[in-house]
Amino acid sequence: MGVTVRLGPDAARYMIAGRGDPVAFPFNLRWLLPTVCRNSVRRWWVVWVASWPLLAAGAFVWAYEMGVDWPQAAACAALLVALPGVLQPSSTHPVGVDLPAMAVAVWAAAAFAAGWWPVAVLLVLVAAAIKEHAPVWVALWAWTPWALVGLIAVAVAWLVRRPAIDEVTATPLLRRVHDHPVRAAFEHHRRHGYRNAWFMVAPWGVTLAALWAPTPQLVVTVVVAYAALLVATDTVRVYQPIAAPVVCLVAVGVIPVGWLLPAVVFAAVWWRDPVTG
């Protein structure tokens, strides 16, 4: 019996890439999972489901290596996986790259933080093959420019896998977004998002506690995360994967240890019906 899913535009392009056809930029750079999973929804489900424990475990190790105690590291991991932008919209389940890229990238960041350089470089290269932004994420999370070595994999993919206008991108709306990303993003957020605190602020939930003790790493990471909206028409699913680990790390350092468990429970329950777009 076949497995059917409702595919959003991004997922549809990954399935096109999975059958070996060229796709538009930047989807042409995200070659690893379409190559591995191809058009098998079951394979995509395996990757998606496996990414959750991988992300949680990696976030725990990363947070611990960044200097917090193990209860705080555990809370950091729990808060991270409870965020709606990490969950992503249902149209990306299971055919999506953000969650798997985060799962691999956070282990790369943990390896950099621990000084496991060969492992770190290998993982950041793998993460870059899943999503081209991943080396920047790792650089922000591990707070090291050395993670940008992963951009070598992105450059190679650009040379080898040339983009083409696929059947999804060829539709009028998505072709306009492709051809004029900055203009499309500005017009979309002007109508729906820039001053909408429900989309721009509220999805952080209890992790907004991080604002009580901002660090240079937090400020730079949040600025980069929200700057990504300048070329994207989505909102929460864009800025949270970039900034979430650092925001959660700073938040657990602010929240008293005795309140970490209630904070995690609140985060998990409050966003049961999340804003993920």
Side-chain angles (χ1 to χ4, degrees), residues 54-172:
L54 189 66
L55 175 61
F60 173 84
V61 175
W62 166 76
Y64 187 79
E65 293 294 340
M66 292 296 286
V68 301
D69 295 331
W70 74 263
Q72 295 169 311
C76 178
L79 290 173
L80 176 63
V81 299
L83 286 171
V86 176
L87 174 63
Q88 299 277 299
S90 60
S91 61
T92 67
H93 304 165
V95 186
V97 300
D98 292 83
L99 177 63
M102 284 190 71
V104 177
V106 78
W107 276 104
F112 274 114
W116 307 331
W117 291 90
V119 175
V121 171
L122 175 62
L123 289 175
V124 78
L125 290 171
V126 172
I130 299 174
K131 186 163 186 175
E132 72 282 0
H133 304 150
V136 177
W137 299 355
V138 178
L140 293 168
W141 303 347
W143 205 228
T144 174
W146 293 109
L148 297 177
V149 69
L151 293 176
I152 294 174
V154 179
V156 172
W158 170 256
L159 293 173
V160 174
R161 303 180 66 87
R162 303 304 297 174
I165 300 300
D166 53 78
E167 61 207 61
V168 176
T169 308
T171 59

Side-chain angles (χ1 to χ4, degrees), residues 172-258:
L173 176 60
L174 294 179
R175 181 61 187 264
R176 183 173 181 276
V177 172
H178 173 273
D179 292 346
H180 307 285
V182 176
R183 183 189 305 172
F186 177 76
E187 292 175 353
H188 175 83
H189 295 303
R190 184 178 59 183
R191 291 194 304 268
H192 304 291
Y194 280 131
R195 295 186 294 174
N196 188 334
W198 179 248
F199 287 102
M200 292 295 185
V201 181
W204 289 112
V206 296
T207 64
L208 286 171
L211 296 177
W212 184 257
T215 64
Q217 182 184 15
L218 176 68
V219 172
V220 171
T221 302
V222 169
V223 168
V224 171
Y226 280 89
L229 299 179
L230 295 174
V231 291
T233 53
D234 292 303
T235 307
V236 185
R237 64 174 295 200
V238 173
Y239 67 73
Q240 275 201 338
I242 301 171
V246 176
V247 171
C248 292
L249 179 68
V250 177
V252 299
V254 171
I255 300 170
V257 174

